[in-house]
Amino acid sequence: MRPGFLAMLVGLTVLGGRPAVAAEVRVATVGAFRPVIAALAADFERVSGDTVAETHDTAGALFRRIENGEPVDLVILTLSGITDLTAHGKLVAGKTARLARVGIGVAVKEGAPAPAIGDVEAFRQSLLDAPSIAYIDPASGGSSGVYLAQLFQRLGIDEALRPKTVLVQGGLVGDRVVNGDVAVGLQQISELMAVKGIRLVGPLPDAIQNYTLYAGGVSSTATNPEAAEKFLNFLQGDIATALLREKGMAPPRE
């Protein structure tokens, strides 16, 4: 049993002296947070008696889905997306919370030589020397892809990289690395770490790193708002905080 699990069990199940009625929590999450949801769902279900039904997408696509009225109970998105959806009345004001932050990493196939990425110039040269790279297509709305496209322009290497770049429409860039499509993959660290057969070389150099803040919010049209809020609280607890580190993320205020 994980540390703090018993305390969480008592806190979630003893409500006014009687157990809560079980419900299904429909969670719509960005891909970077999906490994955390997948790892925590079973613990939450044992603790609460509720069940978790998860769907995921890139940040931009998920924002559009919720904006267009897709029925969900809990949304996990970039902080800016959660803020905008709350302002548009799609999420309940006062029922949102910051959950985690994550940076962008560089990965190669397990056993492959690690490119030098210790400083900006080394990182820049390693990408120029790489036979092929992959990252999320900015047009799909993935936050790492949008940032990397802008970064490569700033570094003056966007034109040189274009012929050897695979733009991934969504999902895990690491899959393209493992199956040999590309030599180097760049994506949120939590998503790279979710792929078996990957070697995480490390994060982008501090001078050009970009951290994405993720937050959650209860939908204003939630079928099970109480269960959604319960899961949101669970995602801020000790069990979740320990797991964030395992998955390459950090609490939002570190």
Side-chain angles (χ1 to χ4, degrees):
M1 185 174 290
R2 294 180 182 174
F5 188 86
L6 183 59
M8 184 68 73
L9 175 64
V10 172
L12 285 173
T13 58
V14 180
L15 301 171
R18 56 187 175 83
V21 176
E24 179 183 73
V25 185
R26 296 167 301 171
V27 181
T29 179
V30 286
F33 214 83
R34 190 187 185 199
V36 176
I37 298 298
L40 288 176
D43 276 349
F44 175 74
E45 289 172 352
R46 285 194 295 270
V47 164
S48 65
D50 299 328
T51 59
V52 176
E54 177 265 334
T55 182
H56 63 279
D57 214 327
T58 64
L62 185 58
F63 181 91
R64 291 189 292 272
R65 284 166 54 182
I66 304 305
E67 184 81 342
N68 290 334
E70 181 168 327
V72 298
D73 297 306
L74 182 66
V75 180
I76 298 172
L77 194 55
T78 58
L79 177 60
S80 60
I82 291 293
T83 300
D84 288 346
L85 288 174
T86 303
H88 298 170
K90 300 298 181 178
L91 302 177
V92 181
K95 302 294 183 181
T96 65
R98 296 186 181 196
L99 298 175
R101 70 168 189 157
V102 63
I104 297 171
V106 178
V108 296
K109 190 173 182 177
E110 204 168 67
I117 59 170
D119 57 45
V120 175
E121 184 51 37
F123 169 78
R124 180 180 182 278
Q125 191 60 51
S126 289
L127 292 188
L128 290 172
D129 292 342
S132 53
I133 69 169
Y135 61 96
I136 292 292
D137 188 347
S140 72
S143 55
S144 65
V146 172
Y147 175 74
L148 287 169
Q150 296 169 347
L151 173 64
F152 297 155
Q153 288 181 347
R154 293 203 329 258
L155 295 178
I157 58 176
D158 54 317
E159 293 293 338
L161 295 183
R162 187 169 292 120
K164 60 179 182 179
T165 295
V166 172
L167 295 176
V168 181
Q169 298 305 307
L172 299 172
V173 169
D175 288 336
R176 300 298 187 97
V177 177
V178 171
N179 68 22
D181 287 348
V182 296
V184 177
L186 302 99
Q187 197 173 14
Q188 307 282 22
I189 290 173
S190 60
E191 292 179 278
L192 292 174
M193 290 178 64
V195 179
K196 292 182 179 180
I198 277 289
R199 176 184 182 182
L200 178 65
V201 180
L204 298 190
D206 288 344
I208 55 172
Q209 180 59 276
N210 181 68
Y211 289 99
T212 300
L213 278 168
Y214 291 106
V218 177
S219 171
S220 57
T221 58
T223 302
N224 297 303
E226 295 84 3
E229 186 175 2
K230 194 192 305 180
F231 191 36
L232 182 61
N233 291 336
F234 188 82
L235 293 175
Q236 300 169 73
D238 292 342
I239 296 172
T241 298
L243 187 74
L244 286 174
R245 300 187 191 284
E246 293 178 20
K247 300 299 181 182
M249 307 181 91
R253 291 176 178 81
E254 284 195 355

